[in-house]
Amino acid sequence: MNISEKTINNYAIVSLQGILNASSAPKLKTYIAGMPDEQSLVIDLENVEFLDSSGLGALVGIARKKKTGSAVMKLARMNERVKKVFEITQAYTLFDIYDDVSAAAEA
Amino acid sequence: MNPIITLTLQANLRYVRVASIIACNVAEIFADFTCNSTDIAEFCHAYELSVSEAFTNSVRYAKPAQPEKQVTIRFSSDNNSLAVSIIDTNSQFNPVTQAPDISSYPEGGYGLFLIHRLMDTVSYTREDDTNILTMTKQATMTHDT
Amino acid sequence: MIFHLDTSTTQPLGVVLLKKRVDASNSNELQKAFAQWLLQASNFVFDCTELDFIDSSGLGAIVSCLRKALEHHGDVKLAALSPKVAMVFELTKAKQLFSVFSSSSEAIQSFRTVSPK
Amino acid sequence: MKTLLVIKKQEYEWLIDLFPGVHPLLVPICNKPFIEFLVDFAILAGSDALRIVSDGVLGDVEHYCENGSRWGVEISYGSMRPGDDISTVIDKNRRFCLDGRVIIISGFLFIRYNKKREYASLFASLPTGELLGCPHGSISLAGTSTTKTEAPGTLPFSLAALDSIGKYYELSMEILRTGLTHYVIPGYSSEEDCYIGRNVIIPKSAEIIKPVIIGNNVQIMTNAIIDRNSVIGSNVIIDRESVISGSIVIGNTYIGEHLEVKNKIAAGNLLIDPESGTVIVMEDPHLLTTMTKSKVAGALLRRLVHTLGATFLILLQLFPWLLLRPILGMQGKWKRKKEQYYAERQGKYVTLTSTTIECTGALSAFAKALSLDRFTLLFKVLSGKLALIGNQPRPLNPAIPLLPNSPAGYRPAVFSYAEAEEWPEIGIDTEIVEHYYAVHSDPLKDIAMTQKALFHRTH
């Protein structure tokens, strides 16, 4: 999995590319842990080819941390395969999900 | 049930992707032969995801300090359903699963729940110190039309 | 079920307070008891204030009570049907067989005003 | 043009308990799922894409509408948080709303419209902003219009909020009485106030009074009356002498004998009075029931009765079978075929040898009259693989999957109810008979039905 980052309106836009599963989730966690807790995030999922519950667990963990650190975490551009996992687990209720990155960073 | 492939992998998270890609491909080949026009992509994704979950569990619960530990994945089929079994030598586990309480932001515990929702049948047996988790799904999707 | 005899009317009047449920489990009981009550009165008020549930066998039992009362030249009147119980009576058309009153006192009053035959 | 539908769970939650097992957005209004009216409207208004956004679970809706290709419109789904206002929802769907104009329908609203009117050009020219609003929601337009026109004084559509069972009932009745021609209503219609679905059995003695809508696979029994202003859903049985008037019978409901359902909603084993909101749960299978499989205790007794019946028949047929089987076999009139069939439990199969006796000559006619062709199958009853009487076993065929949770249940058997009743053994009619017996059969009746089947097969 590749992680790239840019900044829009004080939001760190973290774009993920590839597979987000048990073997790659620690990489994402470590990457996010390297940021200040109060840094607000938009995680761009457009190029995530595959996500399983370990990947979901990592995202939920980040969301919880950001929530306690009173920062914001949003998800953007979820594809159908990724959406399915959020739907079955009802994890979509925990996130603000946008279909556009800049809209997520502006709102 | 006719056996198709049996595959043994080292119990290491590094190989989760191998297991799930193979599952996805086996499902695709099977669906190609069996289905008329069902949603093949969805069928394959169910296997990709379920095997990813089951394999991850097998590796996670493997007793430590046993680097030679292995997980076996066995595919078999009959007319229109494909079964995949994940076999490991971990200690016995409780396969009963319920939806995790999402409002408490759980980081894990979704795996078996997802498998149950994606597959038609999930069975768990313990034979001679091995765990066998077998998941099957019918290739012909039933639509309520 | 609680039964008492109201003697304020010209003819003795049986007042039955039905409790909770009248269904397959206790409808026989009602029919047996009713045979006893018929020795004391032929006019009845079934007070349904505390009746929450009735099924087809309960309904059958109440209709059979009515039939027996009619055979004795009497009547069974129903009082204070809850909306749910009333719906079952409507659904099964049994409501058409009975005089229904909103309270037991109204039902008792109705027996007073009718001159004995 | 695109349409964004925003419906919060909180707005439709009240419906969940009333129509168990049906997603509130799929609750039928005049036998057509609620959401489909909105899809139709969106298309009528010129939309080529529709997005349904909710904070509740949309799985069932997604399963029903899929990607919208059925209607030739692109349907997608989005999520939101319960506290989101409309502008947040628009932000969350900015990419969807980006190009062109968007009709935003917010709230659990029914839109009254008329399919004969022209909406596409109207929506293209209407000014941006709220078009109509009510306390429970609104319909508005986003994006710039191509031509600048003022909103006309009265719009050719109006809103009806669905916030109570009373409103639901009123709306259904309103459409039934006056609006059937305004919408696309499922079913065959030769007159404008009468829609009848497929496989509807109406005996001569039954009476149907318009306006009426009847779904598919409906069986109306003798002397039943479907009086004016009634909507009967699919897979419904209205038993003998019952009267339905001004009522909505939701799909998969059984209405018992001699009942009067007047101005009510019957849904499974619930009877709802729309005026007062009173709901009664029927625990009584004689009155109203959901069409479901029989209970476990009954199944055990049934198994016992069937085993005894099969044993009896085996003893009865043993001698003739020993005698005739070799003779007919030598004559080449005894044909056997091994095939796989669906078993009672979902996902399981059973291999059966079906025998056909070529019906030429007195001996084979005699063998057939004795049902010797079913002799070997009787042993499957002893092993519990088949029932004595029930459904005709369905051959395994990936192209025709057995619908899971079919309301009637499926119990493959040596003899079928359809045979007993001399119904056509193949086709959807059979399902209706089986449906009926799923509700009416009990182990004792099964014996009588087996007798009937044996008798009818001789003729």
Side-chain angles (χ1 to χ4, degrees), chain A residues 19 21-23 29 50-54 56-58 60-61 63-64 67 81 84-85 88-91 93-94, chain B residues 13-14 16-17 20 41-42 45 48-49 52-53 56 60 102-108 110-111 113-114 117-118:
Chain A
I19 310 295
N21 63 6
S23 65
K29 281 193 212 166
F50 177 81
L51 172 115
D52 70 2
S53 74
S54 307
L56 174 69
V60 171
R64 189 176 51 198
K67 200 171 152 246
R81 283 156 64 84
K84 177 121 193 165
V85 178
I88 296 175
T89 56
Q90 298 201 16
T93 55
L94 302 180
Chain B
L13 284 182
R14 200 180 298 160
V16 172
R17 193 62 197 146
S20 58
E42 198 179 320
H45 186 230
E48 187 181 354
L49 202 49
S52 189
E53 300 298 348
T56 303
R60 284 247 168 87
I102 196 73
S103 58
S104 62
Y105 287 79
E107 282 189 53
Y110 306 98
F113 171 69
L114 266 171
R117 292 293 302 270
L118 292 164

Side-chain angles (χ1 to χ4, degrees), chain D residues 181-230:
Chain D
T181 53
H182 296 180
Y183 308 95
V184 181
I185 301 291
Y188 168 78
S189 165
S190 57
E191 296 149 272
E192 61 179 42
D193 47 1
C194 173
Y195 287 78
I196 311 274
R198 286 177 284 121
N199 309 307
V200 175
I201 310 286
I202 305 168
K204 282 200 188 88
S205 59
E207 210 177 321
I208 313 264
I209 301 153
K210 299 185 297 174
V212 70
I213 303 176
I214 298 178
N216 300 328
N217 305 321
V218 172
Q219 195 172 24
I220 292 161
M221 308 301 278
T222 47
N223 295 318
I225 300 170
I226 311 296
D227 209 341
R228 54 181 58 85
N229 301 322
S230 291

Side-chain angles (χ1 to χ4, degrees), chain D residues 37-57:
Chain D
F37 284 94
L38 290 179
V39 172
D40 284 354
F41 179 73
I43 294 169
L44 211 56
S47 303
D48 49 18
L50 171 76
R51 179 167 291 179
I52 305 167
V53 181
S54 178
D55 52 343
V57 189

